[in-house]
Amino acid sequence: MDKDNFAAEVLPLTETTFLILLSLANEIRHGYAIMQDVEALSDGRVRLSTGTLYGALRRLLREGWIIRVDDAEHADLGDERNKKYYRLTGAGEHVLNFEIQRLRALLESATLRKAEATS
Amino acid sequence: MKKLKAILRCLYRLMLSCYPRRTRCAFSEEMLHVFDRCVLHHSQRGAFALIAFFSRELIDWPFALIRAYQTEIQLDTIERHQIESGMVGEFFIESEDMMDPSDEFAGRDRGQALWMALPPFLLGLGIMFAAMIRTDVWYRLPAWQLYLSAAVNLLPGLFVGAVGLVALFRRIPDWGITWLGAAFMGFVLTLQILVGELADEGTIVLAPEVETAIGLSLFISGLTLMLLLAHRGWSRSSIFTLAAAATMGLSLLQAVTAAPFNRDDLALLAGPIGLAFAVLIYIYVLRQDRRRWAVLAVAGGLNAVLVGIMAQAISGWRTAPDAMAFVPPLLVLITGLLAAGPLSGLLVRPLLSRLV
């Protein structure tokens, strides 16, 4: 599948999916950290419930856009439970980049149209 | 605040228990951990913030459940294709105990089969021994004999009910399907008798709307249990309705002991007929598809015999021309109950995989 076909098939992403992928773009995170980060990224507008978060994570795992890892280095001190972390895969990174490009193009078109309208 | 947090955690665990098995195995511990962290975070901002957070969880829960079950069905379909095409694909779910594509019982050993066969046998024994204790019609019996008979009658029912409840709380493992089926039907019949008796005495007379609401809730609960089991395979939903139909059939032998029939002699058949149902369940659990259909057919025949016995008891007491009018609907009801399990089991999976 070439780049355009792949992009056409998976885009546009839902806001939740986009924010979760974006949250994992710079570092691996556990569920709670993703939840917090999504809220911060959206200026408090998107507050994920645990059900929605894990439903989305499960789907992203199935698509192969993220993977689940055990990472002792990231475990909180004193936390006995073995936390699971999520990391973006190569495919996930591609999808995220495609979506950013799409949004950027959309924004540029919108800005251009708005500028034309005001002038 | 501590109490509120404990209650909310308890409720959340209950909510988690409703997710499909694979989701629970893979994520429930993690979800609970995230929930705990959120509770800690929001509780620092006061009870109102905590309740607002939990309300959000609660509102989103049914949608998350629907999405989880949709995914579950998609995974089932993929697995079936893999099994049919001989592929052994690696799925993202790691643990083997999360996978249950089989339509067969998990461990078809004789011990489990015996345990699953017990409910109708116990119920039958209860009815039979209670009838043996009553040596005369109930109003001529001394109090001790009456109480002993009632206790012998009730104890097996209570035991079946308790094990059925345990099975329900443990998300209906294979060993508990027949117990739950018998307990559910026993509960429905007991409730019906209780409501009837209370109305006869004039103690509590329920409004028709309330009666309809109760009946509808019970019907929906039974249907939900059956469909849940049907989603796990027809063999499971069939044995659930087999146990329920056996309980209903045996209850007819209990009914003929009541006034004005007072046919304790017929109730003595409950022991052997309960044993026959138990043997049928035992065979059903251990054998394969074709013999299972034969078992269901024989169970249907046994139930027809029980309806016949009841008709005979009534005919000895009432000679009106419409005295036997109850026979055809009762036969349809009891046979329909027995057939509902296998039918739903055969239809639910293909229907859901087409819909999703």
Side-chain angles (χ1 to χ4, degrees):
Chain A
M1 194 186 292
D2 63 34
K3 183 183 152 184
D4 288 340
N5 281 346
F6 180 67
E9 196 147 298
V10 299
L11 302 185
L13 300 179
T14 62
E15 191 175 18
T16 307
T17 305
F18 177 67
L19 288 171
I20 291 174
L21 291 179
L22 197 59
S23 163
L24 296 172
N26 58 346
E27 62 176 286
I28 76 168
R29 290 177 203 272
H30 55 78
Y32 181 68
I34 296 172
M35 211 178 206
Q36 298 283 87
D37 199 41
V38 163
E39 194 174 333
L41 281 169
S42 64
D43 278 336
R45 197 172 42 78
V46 178
R47 287 180 179 179
L48 297 177
S49 72
T50 53
T52 302
L53 173 67
Y54 280 91
L57 288 176
R58 191 181 187 188
R59 199 168 43 76
L60 296 178
L61 283 165
R62 208 179 64 208
E63 299 284 357
W65 296 351
I66 60 172
I67 50 166
R68 201 177 185 205
V69 286
D70 284 310
D71 196 333
E73 278 178 35
H74 289 78
D76 291 346
L77 286 172
D79 188 354
E80 288 172 9
R81 280 177 286 195
N82 183 18
K83 271 196 279 185
K84 303 282 184 195
Y85 285 77
Y86 296 89
R87 176 189 288 152
L88 210 58
T89 61
E93 213 171 317
H94 280 308
V95 172
L96 184 62
N97 288 338
F98 288 150
E99 180 67 351
I100 292 172
Q101 277 170 24
R102 189 187 72 81
L103 290 172
R104 190 178 287 143
L106 196 67
L107 184 66
E108 277 168 11
S109 306
T111 316
L112 198 64
R113 181 57 59 88
K114 198 83 178 100
E116 281 169 10
T118 15
S119 64
Chain B
M1 185 66 97
K2 213 172 171 181
K3 220 172 211 173
L4 178 66
K5 281 201 268 189
I7 292 169
L8 295 184
R9 192 173 203 270
C10 199
L11 284 173
Y12 187 72
R13 286 178 73 113
L14 207 67
M15 284 155 68
L16 281 181
S17 70
C18 296
Y19 280 91
R21 197 158 68 100
R22 268 189 287 225
T23 311
R24 280 197 322 266
C25 293
F27 297 110
S28 67
E29 198 188 330
E30 221 180 311
M31 287 170 82
L32 188 63
H33 176 62
V34 172
F35 178 81
D36 286 342
R37 295 280 300 262
C38 291
V39 164
L40 188 71
H41 172 75
H42 287 96
S43 63
Q44 284 160 358
R45 291 155 57 190
F48 184 73
L50 185 57
I51 289 170
F53 156 73
F54 189 75
S55 309
R56 254 199 335 267
E57 287 289 324
L58 202 63
I59 291 166
D60 192 61
W61 175 62
F63 302 105
L65 263 190
I66 292 169
R67 285 192 296 266
Y69 275 98
Q70 276 180 340
T71 309
E72 188 77 1
I73 291 159
Q74 284 165 351
L75 291 178
D76 273 353
T77 315
I78 293 167
E79 271 171 24
R80 266 207 304 282
H81 285 317
Q82 283 179 340
I83 290 165
E84 279 162 16
S85 59
M87 283 167 64
V88 186
E90 192 184 328
F91 232 54
F92 84 89
I93 292 166
E94 307 90 348
S95 165
E96 246 182 49
D97 70 331
M98 296 169 202
M99 317 283 270
D100 187 21
S102 144
D103 201 15
E104 296 302 315
F105 292 110
R108 285 186 318 166
D109 58 280
R110 284 162 191 243
Q112 180 169 302
L114 211 59
W115 173 253
M116 289 175 82
L118 270 180
F121 183 52
L122 289 179
L123 294 174
L125 282 185
I127 297 169
M128 183 181 78
F129 283 129
M132 284 166 85
I133 290 168
R134 290 188 298 267
T135 48
D136 203 347
V137 284
W138 67 271
Y139 48 84
R140 284 206 290 263
L141 285 178
W144 70 267
Q145 216 173 347
L146 197 63
Y147 288 129
L148 182 64
S149 149
V152 167
N153 211 341
L154 277 177
L155 272 176
L158 288 176
F159 183 65
V160 170
V163 180
L165 260 182
V166 172
L168 185 65
F169 281 118
R170 293 195 173 186
R171 304 178 192 114
I172 327 177
D174 283 346
W175 61 258
I177 297 174
T178 51
W179 292 84
L180 183 62
F184 181 77
M185 184 47 69
F187 176 71
V188 171
L189 295 169
T190 310
L191 199 67
Q192 191 193 11
I193 293 167
L194 208 66
V195 169
E197 290 292 325
L198 289 175
D200 282 349
E201 285 176 12
T203 323
I204 302 171
V205 182
L206 295 178
E209 300 82 30
V210 178
E211 267 193 56
T212 311
I214 293 173
L216 205 64
S217 322
L218 288 173
F219 176 74
I220 291 170
S221 311
L223 192 69
T224 309
L225 287 175
M226 190 183 70
L227 292 179
L228 272 176
L229 290 166
H231 181 243
R232 293 190 201 166
W234 80 272
S235 57
R236 290 181 176 87
S237 52
S238 304
I239 204 161
F240 174 75
T241 50
L242 171 56
T247 308
M248 195 179 184
L250 287 170
S251 76
L252 300 179
L253 292 176
Q254 173 68 44
V256 296
T257 64
F261 316 115
N262 300 315
R263 294 294 302 270
D264 281 335
D265 56 325
L266 291 177
L268 295 178
L269 291 171
I273 291 181
L275 180 64
F277 275 122
V279 171
L280 287 175
I281 291 177
Y282 182 80
I283 295 171
Y284 183 98
V285 175
L286 289 180
R287 301 295 173 196
Q288 291 294 333
D289 289 3
R290 217 174 276 175
R291 294 196 194 171
R292 284 182 176 165
W293 287 108
V295 163
L296 292 175
V298 175
L302 257 183
N303 273 334
V305 169
L306 287 169
V307 173
I309 290 173
M310 190 177 190
Q312 201 238 329
I314 290 178
S315 67
W317 171 76
R318 193 165 172 232
T319 50
D322 64 341
M324 291 299 115
F326 77 94
V327 173
L330 185 58
L331 261 177
V332 169
L333 181 70
I334 207 163
T335 313
L337 175 64
L338 188 66
L343 283 180
S344 62
L346 291 173
L347 293 175
V348 162
R349 275 188 179 182
L351 269 179
L352 284 179
S353 51
R354 263 166 202 267
L355 286 172
V356 179

